[in-house]
Amino acid sequence: MRIGIFPASGALGTSTYTTLLSEVPNNQVTLINRHPEKVAKKYVENGVTLRQASYESSSEELEAVFAGVDVLFLISFPSSVHLYRTKVQTKALDAAQKAGVKHIFYSSLAFVSIDAETAKAEVMAAHLDSEAHLKELARTNSGLSWTSIREGLYSESFPVYAAVADLKNPPSTIRIPQDGNGFGLSWARQDELGEASARLIASYARSPSAFEYTNKIVTLSGPKSWTWAEAVEVLSRATGKDINIQEVSLEEYKNLPQIKAYFGTGEAANTLDSAWEAIRDGEAGGVTKSLGEILGREPESFEKTIEEFVKK
């Protein structure tokens, strides 16, 4: 059974395929990305097939690179722009279906209540569109099945949302549009999400009939939901520095230099309004045991991850 990963690049893609290549015969894996020459030569020497394509490729080009792939991991397009993201992802999903892919794993996002089909956060909109499109493709094609992996919020993105430019030297006051109490976020380490994604793919490839997540959503969250007050206390302990939270308006938050540097001032910045509404309503704090069960161990705690980041 041939497994394809598209795009096989970036932190999630790389952590997924490095684990996958330790789980399945390398000559059964096809890595597809914009710059295949960047894939380590040792993998090619072990039999991995490389193909070139990106989300900007045409439908025909995508269909060609997906040809012969039985199981495809489609890693979502990295953009906050809803309609464009939906457009390129559904194009890729359609191309996979036309190419004869039998099972599609899709990397969604856990910025939504567990198993819900609606979400407040605009960043979820394209993910929900793509999940719905996958379900429709499978409904009209009995030879296609799917699994949506709702990847938890990356612990690595904590400094982004906290508007902290340097975790080793954070400001004494963190300004966010929340007082620090209320619902929290269930942060998960990105490389563990990639590892778990790979283990899911390998499990399906070994025995499709026994796979428990066929035509289902699986949510991979961190093991605990951390309020902002708790998360900032973790950072305070890790740095040995007293840090407090100051609640500010969304407009003031979006105008912080760190936020403007990351999100800009356009459509991406405007997604923060709905993101913080979702956080306040608990849509980013759902916790499942799935990540630990798939890894076969307790996922790394947010506290340990932050301590490690500060040491780096």
Side-chain angles (χ1 to χ4, degrees), residues 31-51:
L31 303 181
I32 307 162
N33 61 37
R34 188 190 302 271
H35 298 290
E37 69 278 4
K38 293 184 178 181
V39 174
K41 290 183 180 179
K42 65 179 181 180
Y43 297 130
V44 179
E45 293 168 353
N46 287 339
V48 169
T49 297
L50 302 181
R51 294 179 182 172

Side-chain angles (χ1 to χ4, degrees), residues 229-290:
E230 291 172 331
V232 169
E233 176 59 27
V234 165
L235 181 59
S236 181
R237 288 197 300 270
T239 59
K241 185 175 182 178
D242 289 334
I243 306 171
N244 60 69
I245 293 174
Q246 178 185 345
E247 184 174 12
V248 298
S249 69
L250 265 167
E251 287 307 311
E252 184 176 347
Y253 174 75
K254 288 191 292 184
N255 279 305
L256 292 172
Q258 301 91 329
I259 297 299
K260 290 175 73 173
Y262 189 87
F263 292 96
T265 57
E267 189 171 349
N270 290 333
T271 64
L272 290 168
D273 296 46
S274 60
W276 279 96
E277 181 184 2
I279 290 169
R280 285 192 295 269
D281 287 354
E283 292 190 4
V287 174
T288 73
K289 296 181 180 179
S290 300

Side-chain angles (χ1 to χ4, degrees), residues 110 149-152 188 193 196-197 200 218-222 288 290-291 294:
I149 306 174
R150 288 185 175 173
E151 314 276 4
L193 294 170
S197 297
L200 284 169
V218 54
T219 297
L220 305 181
S221 76
T288 73
S290 300
L291 180 57
I294 294 163

Side-chain angles (χ1 to χ4, degrees), residues 4-283:
I5 298 180
F6 171 77
S9 57
L12 182 65
T14 302
S15 63
T16 299
Y17 75 69
T18 52
T19 297
L20 183 66
L21 292 173
S22 70
E23 296 267 330
V24 302
N26 286 199
N27 61 5
Q28 295 178 5
V29 176
T30 297
L31 303 181
I32 307 162
N33 61 37
R34 188 190 302 271
H35 298 290
E37 69 278 4
K38 293 184 178 181
V39 174
K41 290 183 180 179
K42 65 179 181 180
Y43 297 130
V44 179
E45 293 168 353
N46 287 339
V48 169
T49 297
L50 302 181
R51 294 179 182 172
Q52 184 175 32
S54 71
Y55 272 110
E56 286 73 36
S57 299
S58 68
S59 298
E60 294 75 18
E61 289 169 330
L62 290 172
E63 187 176 345
V65 297
F66 295 154
V69 171
D70 301 297
V71 181
L72 177 67
F73 184 31
L74 190 80
I75 298 174
S76 55
F77 181 69
S79 170
S80 299
V81 181
H82 171 201
L83 295 180
Y84 183 74
R85 193 180 203 184
T86 295
K87 178 182 176 180
V88 297
Q89 290 179 177
T90 54
K91 176 182 68 175
L93 292 170
D94 288 341
Q97 188 264 336
K98 289 178 182 177
V101 172
K102 298 178 177 64
H103 190 93
I104 298 174
F105 285 88
Y106 170 69
S107 76
S108 187
L109 178 65
F111 214 134
V112 59
S113 298
I114 294 171
D115 295 332
E117 295 183 353
T118 60
K120 290 184 170 65
E122 187 178 346
V123 72
M124 274 302 301
H127 291 298
L128 296 175
D129 289 346
S130 296
E131 288 178 352
H133 194 71
L134 258 179
K135 293 175 185 178
E136 181 61 20
L137 288 176
R139 186 186 69 80
T140 57
N141 179 2
S142 60
L144 176 67
S145 57
W146 58 274
T147 301
S148 180
I149 306 174
R150 288 185 175 173
E151 314 276 4
L153 298 183
Y154 300 158
S155 300
E156 290 83 349
S157 68
F158 167 73
V160 174
Y161 283 95
V164 175
D166 181 5
L167 278 184
K168 291 183 178 180
N169 186 30
S172 58
T173 299
I174 287 180
R175 295 171 174 84
I176 56 174
Q178 195 191 65
D179 65 4
N181 299 307
F183 292 108
L185 295 89
S186 50
W187 306 100
R189 185 158 182 149
Q190 192 175 42
D191 57 0
E192 289 193 328
L193 294 170
E195 179 185 345
S197 297
R199 295 194 188 284
L200 284 169
I201 296 164
S203 175
Y204 176 87
R206 282 192 291 267
S207 181
S209 61
F211 188 64
E212 64 178 295
Y213 296 109
T214 297
N215 296 334
K216 293 181 180 178
I217 294 168
V218 54
T219 297
L220 305 181
S221 76
K224 174 187 172 180
S225 179
W226 296 78
T227 67
W228 275 99
E230 291 172 331
V232 169
E233 176 59 27
V234 165
L235 181 59
S236 181
R237 288 197 300 270
T239 59
K241 185 175 182 178
D242 289 334
I243 306 171
N244 60 69
I245 293 174
Q246 178 185 345
E247 184 174 12
V248 298
S249 69
L250 265 167
E251 287 307 311
E252 184 176 347
Y253 174 75
K254 288 191 292 184
N255 279 305
L256 292 172
Q258 301 91 329
I259 297 299
K260 290 175 73 173
Y262 189 87
F263 292 96
T265 57
E267 189 171 349
N270 290 333
T271 64
L272 290 168
D273 296 46
S274 60
W276 279 96
E277 181 184 2
I279 290 169
R280 285 192 295 269
D281 287 354
E283 292 190 4

Side-chain angles (χ1 to χ4, degrees), residues 291-303:
L291 180 57
E293 290 171 350
I294 294 163
L295 292 174
R297 64 179 187 273
E298 184 72 8
E300 183 172 286
S301 71
F302 173 73
E303 187 167 20

